[in-house]
Amino acid sequence: MESLETLRDIAAVLEVPCPLAFQDVYIKELTIDSRKVVLPSQSVFFAIKGDRHDGHNFINELFDKGVRAFVVSKDYTIPDQLDDALFIPTESPLEALQKVAAAKRALVNYPVIGITGSNGKTIVKEWLYQLLNNSYRIIRSPKSYNSQVGVPLSVWKVGSEHSLAIIEAGISEPGEMVKLERIVRPTIGIFTNLGQAHDENFSDANQKAREKLDLFRNVDTLIYCKDYLIIQEELNEYPFEGIPKTFCWSRKSTADLQIGRVEQRDGQTEIQGIFKNNFIRITIPFTDEASIENAIHCWATMLLLGIENEVIAERMRHLAPVAMRLELKQGVNNCSVINDSYNSDLQSISIALDFLQQQHQHPKRTLVLSDILQTGKSDLELYTEVAQIIREKNVDRLIGIGPNISGQAELFDENSQFFQSTEEFLSTNTHDAFHNETILLKGARSFGFETINAFLQQKTHHTVLEIDLGAMVHNLNLIRSMLKPETKLMAMVKAFGYGSGSFEIANVLQFHHVSYLAVAYADEGIELRKAGISLPIMVISPEEQSFDAMIQFGLEPEIFSVRSLQLMENAISRKGTLETPIKVHLKLNTGMNRLGFSESEVNQLIVRVKNNKQIQVASVFSHFAASEDVEQDDFTRLQIERFEKMSTSILSHFDYPIIRHICNSFGIIRFPEAQYDLVRLGIGLYGVAPESPITDKLRHVSTLRTTITQIHELHEGDTIGYGRTEKVDYEMRSATLPIGYADGLNRKNGNRNGHVLVNGRKAPIVGNVCMDMCMVDVTGIPCKEGDDVVVFGEGLPITEFAKNSETIPYEVLTGISSRVKRVYFQE
C-alpha cells in the first residue's frame, strides 16, 4: 500500500469491501470520542466498548453531526435511518483501530522514537521535541496519549511531511505492550526507568521490565540507564527479533555516555560526561533529580542522532518546563504551587519531594498527597515507607487526601491533616489556610487534583477560561432575591457546566445550598456522584442503556414519553424490589414540541405511575420555548396556562407533595408569576440575562483570555493569514494570538467582524481565524509580546462576542474547547 488516505484504503487494511460511493472519501481523522469530532465528513468513528462507555451508543449523535463512516462490532444492528452511512463490521473496533494505525506506520521510513518507562515518558518526549525541533519536522504523541487507544490515535498522525516521530507508550498489565509495538515499530527506543506504578498487575519488577521491553522487540538502537539493574538484567536475556545496538548511560560504571560530576547551583545543573573519550558537558535550568535524569536521556538521544555537543549544550540551556508535570507556578498568598498530579507512586513521590526540597523561596514546605494506588503493598507497609520519605525530605506539613492514607494517620506527624476526598478538602479550606509556603500537589489522577491546583494558583495569563466563582455566587444570590421564600432553585450544570467545568461549578452550588442540580446525561451525573456531590440530580436526557446506572447512583431521570417510562419500569424490574422508590420528573409538552407528554397522554401516564409503587414523582415540569422574546409573550403565557391545567390534573391523583416548575433563567426574570415550587437557573448564573431591572446587577463570570505571541510591523501591500484576505493599505502593527477556532473562537469573527481587548482597547480580528491562532490589528495600541488579551469578559461582554459570532452565549460557552484550561478563582 502506497497511501492510507481514503475509505477505500482503510477498508483494504481491514480486509472488507468498500462500496463505490465511499471509496474516494478522504479521511483525515480517526476518532473514538463523539465530543471531539472536528471534521465529521473526513472522520471514521471506531465504536469501542469500554468498562463504562459503549461507542455504539453515540452513533446516532455522530451521524447527526455529519459523520458517515463507522467501524462497529459485528453484533451491532445498523438503524434503518442511517442507511446512507458506511458501517464496517469487525470482531473488535479497538483492534481495527490499532490495525489501521499500524498500516499507517508502515508507510513512513524516517526514524521513530518509542518511549516507555514508569516515569518521565511525557517529559522526555516533550523535551526531545523542544531540543530537536530545529533539526527535524517532528510529529509526537499529544499530551499523554500512551494507551491502547492513545498510541494508535498518535501514530495515525504520522505523514510524509514529517522526518521524525516521537511516540509515548504505557502499559498497566501484561500483554499490552506487544500490541503497541506492532503499531509503533520504533527504530530508536528509550526506556526511561522502572518504578512501582501498576506493580500489583505484575508478578514482580522483572516481569514488568520484560513487558516494557516488548516495545523494543524490533528496535535498531535502545537507549537506557544501566544503573537500573533490573532493566539491564532483563535486557541481557530478552529475545529480540534482531540484535539491537544499545546506547547506555550511567553514573556508576562504564557506559556509552559516562556521567561524571553533577553540580546544582543558582537554579541550574551542570552535568559532565565522557562520550567517545571526550569530556563534554551540558547545563539545564533545573536542579531536581527527575529533570536531571530526563535531560540525560535526551542528551543520549541527541548524541546518538549525531548532533554536535556544542549544539546540544546551547539548546539544553533553554529547556522549558512541561505543563502538568512538576510545574511550578505562583499561588495565592505569596505561595508557590508545584503540580505533579499525573501519577503517584513511591519513586515519583521521592523525586517530586526532591524537587520540593530545592525550593528555598519560602520558609515552609507543604505536601498535599492522595492515596497511592496500585502498589501491591498493604496500607501499613506502604504508608510507613511514605512517612519515612516525608521525614527525610524535610516536609513541614502533610495534607493527606483519601480513605487509605487517612486510615494510617497515626504514622505521620501530629500537625498533619487528613480528608476523605478532594471535595472535602476544598469545601473545608479557604485560601487563608496557605501563606508564604511551597505546596507540592502529588496525587493519583482519579483524585482530580487539578481542582486543588486551580484553587491554589493565582490567576494565570495563558489562553484560559477564567471562572469567577465569587461572581457566580453573587448572581446566584441575586436571582434568589427575586424568588418567593418557598420557591426552590435547580441549577443546570449540563454541557460541562456551560463549558466551565461540571464538578467545580457543582461543588460551589452545593456549598451554597441550591436544592437540585440538573445534567443532560447520566454519565455527567455519575461523575458528580463519584466526585462527592450529594445533591439531588435530575437527568434531562436519559438514554436507554443508562436507567440501571441512574438507579445505582441515585439519579432522578426525566420521563418524557411512554417509551421512556417503559424503559424505567424495565430497569426497576431488573433490579427487583428497591429499598426506596426511584424519583422521576415528568416532562409535559406545552408547546416546545421537543420532549414531553401531550395532554392526551396524561391520563395514561397517571395510571401507569400510580400502579408502580417503586416510582415516586418528584416533579412535574415543562420548558418555555421563547421566554426571552417579548414578541412571544402571548405564547409563553399560553404555555403557562397549559402547564397549569395538565400539572393540576396530575397532582390531584397523588397523595404526596410533587414539585412543579416551568421557569428557566429568562422566565425567572420575566414571568415571576410562574415560579411555582422551583425554578431552573442556567445561563443566568453566568451573568447573561434579558434587559430587566437586574441586568446591570449581574456580574460577568467567564473571561476568555490569551496573550500576544508575536507582533509584526506591516507595510502597504502586505497581506495577513490564510487566503490573504486582509490586505494592508497603511503602516499596520499586527499581533498574533494563540487562540483559534479549535479553541472555540468562531471563524465568523475574522476579517474585522469581531474584536478583542488589548490593554483595554478594541483590536479588530484581521484575516481568517486559523485553527490555533488569530491575528489582530493593534495599530496605535501600546502593547508588547506577552501582554494580556481579553477575548470576552469584563469590558467585552459575552453577549457582544456572541453577536459578532452570529450565535448565542450558550453556544459560545459550551464551544470553548477542552484544551483551553479552566482557572477558577474567587476574589
Side-chain angles (χ1 to χ4, degrees), residues 3 19 47 81 127 164 170 185 220 250 254 278 310 392 428 450 469 488 794 805:
S3 65
Q81 67 270 27
W127 278 2
L164 176 68
R185 302 289 287 195
D220 294 333
S250 174
T254 303
N278 292 317
E310 290 79 5
E392 290 176 351
T428 55
E450 62 269 16
L469 298 179
K488 299 178 180 179
E794 202 67 42
S805 302

Side-chain angles (χ1 to χ4, degrees), residues 534-645:
S534 58
L535 284 173
I537 300 174
M538 181 176 78
V539 179
I540 297 172
S541 303
E543 297 170 302
E544 180 174 349
Q545 74 282 359
S546 65
F547 283 92
D548 295 271
M550 284 188 282
I551 295 174
Q552 178 184 351
F553 287 91
L555 306 177
E556 302 175 11
E558 169 186 315
I559 302 299
F560 53 83
S561 66
V562 174
R563 180 174 181 270
S564 65
L565 178 58
Q566 183 65 57
L567 292 171
M568 182 75 259
E569 292 172 337
N570 293 344
I572 292 173
S573 297
R574 289 192 294 271
K575 290 287 185 181
T577 303
L578 303 178
E579 292 183 6
T580 58
I582 183 169
K583 293 183 178 181
V584 301
H585 300 260
L586 304 180
K587 175 76 170 287
L588 304 180
N589 179 16
T590 59
M592 178 80 166
N593 293 318
R594 184 173 64 179
L595 295 174
F597 290 94
S598 64
E599 186 173 0
S600 64
E601 296 174 306
V602 167
N603 289 336
Q604 178 188 1
L605 170 65
I606 293 171
V607 173
R608 287 279 293 272
V609 174
K610 285 201 70 173
N611 286 338
N612 194 324
K613 301 304 180 184
Q614 299 205 78
I615 295 178
Q616 178 179 341
V617 180
S619 82
V620 178
F621 73 105
S622 190
H623 201 291
F624 284 141
S627 59
E628 75 280 5
D629 190 346
V630 175
E631 295 182 1
Q632 299 292 337
D633 281 358
D634 288 343
F635 183 78
T636 300
R637 293 189 177 93
L638 176 62
Q639 283 193 273
I640 295 172
E641 293 175 9
R642 290 172 175 171
F643 177 69
E644 174 68 24
K645 179 181 178 181

Side-chain angles (χ1 to χ4, degrees), residues 625-793:
S627 59
E628 75 280 5
D629 190 346
V630 175
E631 295 182 1
Q632 299 292 337
D633 281 358
D634 288 343
F635 183 78
T636 300
R637 293 189 177 93
L638 176 62
Q639 283 193 273
I640 295 172
E641 293 175 9
R642 290 172 175 171
F643 177 69
E644 174 68 24
K645 179 181 178 181
M646 295 167 68
S647 63
T648 299
S649 174
I650 293 173
L651 266 62
S652 68
H653 287 83
F654 293 87
D655 58 3
Y656 53 81
I658 296 176
I659 294 171
R660 292 193 289 178
H661 52 107
I662 192 172
C663 280
N664 55 7
S665 293
F666 295 157
I668 293 169
I669 297 170
R670 302 195 62 245
F671 295 93
E673 70 274 17
Q675 289 182 6
Y676 287 98
D677 308 299
L678 179 144
V679 295
R680 302 186 302 271
L681 179 59
I683 198 71
L685 268 175
Y686 299 87
V688 178
E691 286 297 324
S692 72
I694 73 160
T695 302
D696 293 335
K697 297 179 183 179
L698 290 168
R699 289 172 54 186
H700 297 285
V701 170
S702 302
T703 299
L704 182 61
R705 62 172 74 246
T706 187
T707 58
I708 295 176
T709 299
Q710 188 174 17
I711 291 177
H712 292 281
E713 304 292 342
L714 303 178
H715 310 286
E716 184 176 354
D718 287 337
T719 59
I720 299 175
Y722 286 120
R724 305 182 68 209
T725 56
E726 174 73 18
K727 296 178 171 57
V728 178
D729 54 10
Y730 56 89
E731 296 297 303
M732 179 193 292
R733 197 168 185 243
S734 74
T736 301
L737 314 180
I739 181 171
Y741 58 78
D743 302 294
L745 178 61
N746 196 303
R747 294 185 77 244
K748 291 179 180 178
N749 284 277
N751 299 304
R752 298 184 180 270
N753 293 314
H755 56 268
V756 298
L757 292 182
V758 177
N759 293 328
R761 297 173 62 177
K762 289 184 178 181
I765 299 174
V766 294
N768 286 317
V769 174
C770 309
M771 178 180 288
D772 308 302
M773 288 172 278
C774 70
M775 287 68 74
V776 297
D777 184 352
V778 293
T779 306
I781 300 177
C783 59
K784 62 183 183 303
E785 294 174 1
D787 278 3
D788 182 64
V789 177
V790 173
V791 182
F792 63 75

Side-chain angles (χ1 to χ4, degrees), residues 241-341:
E241 292 294 329
I243 301 177
K245 298 177 182 177
T246 59
F247 190 114
C248 61
W249 64 270
S250 174
R251 295 187 181 190
K252 301 176 181 179
S253 59
T254 303
D256 296 288
L257 175 59
Q258 174 68 54
I259 302 301
R261 184 176 180 182
V262 176
E263 184 176 355
Q264 297 148 297
R265 65 174 185 273
D266 299 329
Q268 297 182 327
T269 300
E270 182 182 272
I271 309 171
Q272 299 178 2
I274 300 174
F275 176 65
K276 293 185 176 179
N277 297 319
N278 292 317
F279 287 96
I280 57 177
R281 69 183 67 191
I282 60 170
T283 299
I284 61 173
F286 303 93
T287 58
D288 62 287
E289 286 298 322
S291 295
I292 292 169
E293 180 177 280
N294 293 333
I296 295 173
H297 280 301
C298 295
W299 193 10
T301 304
M302 298 177 79
L303 291 171
L304 174 68
L305 292 172
I307 299 175
E308 294 294 328
N309 195 69
E310 290 79 5
V311 175
I312 297 174
E314 175 59 26
R315 295 179 183 178
M316 285 284 184
R317 289 181 180 276
H318 302 289
L319 274 180
V322 177
M324 299 303 294
R325 298 289 182 92
L326 287 174
E327 60 178 321
L328 178 64
K329 291 191 176 181
Q330 190 173 7
V332 298
N333 299 331
N334 194 37
C335 291
S336 295
V337 180
I338 304 167
N339 179 23
D340 187 31
S341 55

